[in-house]
Amino acid sequence: MSNSKFTRRGMLKTGAIAGAGVALPTIFTASSAAAYTNEPTGSTVTLGFNVPQTGPYADEGADELRAYQLAVEHLNGEGDGGMMNTFSSNELQGNGILGKKVEFVTGDTQTKSDAARASAKSMIEKDGAVMITGGSSSGVAIAVQGLCQEAGVIFMAGLTHSNDTTGKDKKANGFRHFFNGYMSAAALAPVLKNLYGTDRNAYHLTADYTWGWTQEESIAAATEAMGWNTVNKVRTPLASTDFSSYIAPVLNSGADVLVLNHYGGNMVNSLTNAVQFGLREKVVNGKQFEIVVPLYSRLMAKGAGANVKGIHGSTNWHWSLQDDASKAFVKSFGTKYGFPPSQAAHTVYCQTLLYADAASRAGTFNPCGIAEALEGFEFDGLGNGKTLYRAGDHQCFKDVLVVRGKENPTSEFDLLEVVEVTPAAQVTYPIDHPMFAGGALGTCNAG
């Protein structure tokens, strides 16, 4: 992190440009008149919302866009203010950010890293976005986070669950509110032990990219530590839509648990195929066959329908929570769109408010001033209880929810129930934990 300090008016006390001396592509070099990349000079400030509008995670992307639009309305003083009314920081007043009206541009990541980088690059270069946020894939998040580090803008990660995002691929300009694979495993393992015992044989089907790899590593380590045996680990292409050929070998593997390290449309299809093959009715090794989905969402549950009943997983947030902040967000979102928000919608709404609040506290849009304001920031009132934005890796630490598919849902949205709220202390790990080792945070780049 840069040693430069910022006054409330956002001027560098030292007069030095943070990140100076870093070799950058010419297209990203700030002009001599600007202190940092895309410094807003008029009455507005532009944010870039980069989400999957096509591809296997498009449902998540659509809900993220809804939440971003709601956050912008609230920041600009429209609507009921949502979680601005419950946020423990009182900086945001509904007058935009630092008095500038918030505008936004959008891009389609297509759930592809190259497309996501191209989209983010265009928003920075052509649209003047001072912050990029979004994504529903860790491969995308890591690619765009690297681009934002080079460009000298802040990246507020959306739905990214790979350990690597704030592990080996962490960046000084990147921040993650969402939880990660290690946290899911730490929350889930004790619950699985109590439900299914310690003598189990697990077969993993895993999305073949950074998120799947680190989720598989995390849940396998946590379950093996409590006595489970890992029978096999099979990688599946992200573009897969039919998983029958991957499910069939499970039947003769000796496994009595199938762990689906899949998300979005992948999980909907793989779980559907597993049920079609009759896995949930099987008795193997004298035990009822079980399926576990480490990372769950309401949108996935809706897509999979009755197949999710009784299946356990973890989630970052759920609309049924009864704290004041969650109720405020659900009310705002539901009033505007007619249905409750997903965890994807929640995390990106939070990220937008957290960015705006940090800019307000720092008194500047300079990314290094915002980064300093976010590092070590402790807050409450955004639906996850007390939360810390850890300075050493830019990862948020908060409670994690263990959920299961409801046996008797009362509506098309009432599909998951929270079975345990795992305290933040149980999912916290040291910065140098082996699963997060490699790579350095580096220093902030302002462009």
Side-chain angles (χ1 to χ4, degrees):
M1 176 54 57
S2 165
N3 292 323
S4 304
K5 300 299 180 182
F6 295 80
T7 69
R8 292 292 297 172
R9 290 189 299 276
M11 301 298 291
L12 289 166
K13 287 183 179 178
T14 62
I17 297 177
V22 178
L24 296 175
T26 303
I27 54 171
F28 289 136
T29 301
S31 71
S32 58
Y36 50 89
T37 300
N38 291 339
E39 178 180 5
T41 55
S43 60
T44 64
V45 60
T46 301
L47 309 182
F49 301 150
N50 204 24
V51 304
Q53 299 181 49
T54 56
Y57 296 164
D59 285 349
E60 310 287 339
D63 225 35
E64 287 179 328
L65 269 187
R66 296 182 189 108
Y68 281 132
Q69 292 167 10
L70 185 64
V72 169
E73 288 181 10
H74 291 167
L75 289 172
N76 286 334
E78 302 167 17
D80 63 7
M83 288 197 288
M84 280 173 48
N85 300 315
T86 59
F87 191 13
S88 57
S89 175
N90 298 312
E91 289 284 338
L92 302 177
Q93 303 299 316
N95 62 340
I97 306 175
L98 294 176
K100 296 182 183 292
K101 182 179 180 180
V102 181
E103 297 184 342
F104 65 90
V105 290
T106 65
D108 182 8
T109 68
Q110 304 173 39
T111 319
K112 297 176 181 176
S113 297
D114 289 346
R117 281 179 65 96
S119 177
K121 182 171 177 283
S122 176
M123 288 190 280
I124 294 168
E125 288 183 21
K126 297 179 181 179
D127 301 309
V130 74
M131 181 271 275
I132 300 294
T133 177
S136 292
S137 155
S138 291
V140 161
I142 289 168
V144 175
Q145 180 168 261
L147 178 89
C148 290
Q149 180 70 36
E150 297 168 7
V153 300
I154 289 290
F155 176 63
M156 300 296 283
L159 198 159
T160 168
H161 193 244
S162 171
N163 293 340
D164 292 346
T165 308
T166 46
K168 72 179 182 64
D169 295 307
K170 59 185 174 288
K171 300 293 183 185
N173 283 43
F175 290 83
R176 172 164 60 180
H177 172 266
F178 205 66
F179 69 148
N180 58 44
Y182 175 93
M183 294 175 175
S184 285
L188 264 177
V191 175
L192 297 178
K193 179 180 179 180
N194 290 337
L195 285 171
Y196 307 138
T198 58
D199 183 22
R200 283 284 185 165
N201 294 285
Y203 193 111
H204 290 254
L205 290 182
T206 300
D208 193 12
Y209 75 106
T210 178
W211 168 66
W213 306 332
T214 66
Q215 178 60 83
E216 176 191 272
E217 178 188 28
S218 298
I219 196 72
T223 53
E224 288 169 6
M226 67 189 194
W228 287 23
N229 173 51
T230 300
V231 173
N232 203 357
K233 298 175 179 178
V234 177
R235 305 286 168 82
T236 62
L238 182 59
S240 296
T241 55
D242 184 348
F243 293 86
S244 300
S245 62
Y246 297 100
I247 299 292
V250 179
L251 294 168
N252 300 313
S253 67
D256 45 47
V257 176
L258 173 62
V259 181
L260 293 176
N261 299 302
H262 288 157
Y263 194 72
N266 280 182
M267 175 272 186
V268 171
N269 292 325
S270 63
L271 177 59
T272 299
N273 289 155
V275 171
Q276 289 170 342
F277 271 80
L279 286 184
R280 298 196 71 182
E281 283 73 51
K282 298 289 184 184
V283 174
V284 181
N285 305 323
K287 305 177 184 68
Q288 184 67 43
F289 195 98
E290 303 291 350
I291 300 175
V292 177
V293 178
L295 179 59
Y296 236 143
S297 81
R298 178 186 65 75
L299 295 174
M300 289 158 53
K302 182 180 179 181
N307 295 331
V308 302
K309 291 183 178 183
I311 290 180
H312 287 75
S314 67
T315 189
N316 191 65
W317 176 85
H318 193 256
W319 68 270
S320 65
L321 292 173
Q322 292 300 299
D323 60 283
D324 289 343
S326 294
K327 289 193 291 184
F329 181 52
V330 170
K331 179 183 177 183
S332 292
F333 192 97
T335 298
K336 183 172 177 64
Y337 298 113
F339 48 84
S342 64
Q343 65 172 349
H346 172 261
T347 200
V348 301
Y349 179 97
C350 290
Q351 285 284 69
T352 308
L353 262 57
L354 286 163
Y355 172 84
D357 173 75
S360 298
R361 288 186 290 110
T364 182
F365 288 103
N366 188 309
C368 297
I370 289 169
E372 288 183 7
L374 285 171
E375 288 185 332
F377 181 47
E378 296 181 271
F379 59 93
D380 203 343
L382 291 183
N384 295 109
K386 292 182 179 179
T387 304
L388 166 68
Y389 238 132
R390 189 160 69 178
D393 55 5
H394 297 182
Q395 172 67 55
C396 270
F397 288 86
K398 55 196 183 310
D399 297 346
V400 171
L401 307 181
V402 176
V403 295
R404 70 173 167 234
K406 268 194 169 184
E407 294 289 349
N408 298 296
T410 58
S411 75
E412 62 178 310
F413 309 111
D414 180 38
L415 303 174
L416 300 176
E417 58 187 341
V418 178
V419 297
E420 184 166 309
V421 179
T422 306
Q426 186 176 317
V427 301
T428 298
Y429 51 86
I431 291 175
D432 61 354
H433 187 284
M435 289 187 188
F436 297 83
L441 192 65
T443 57
C444 172
N445 175 31

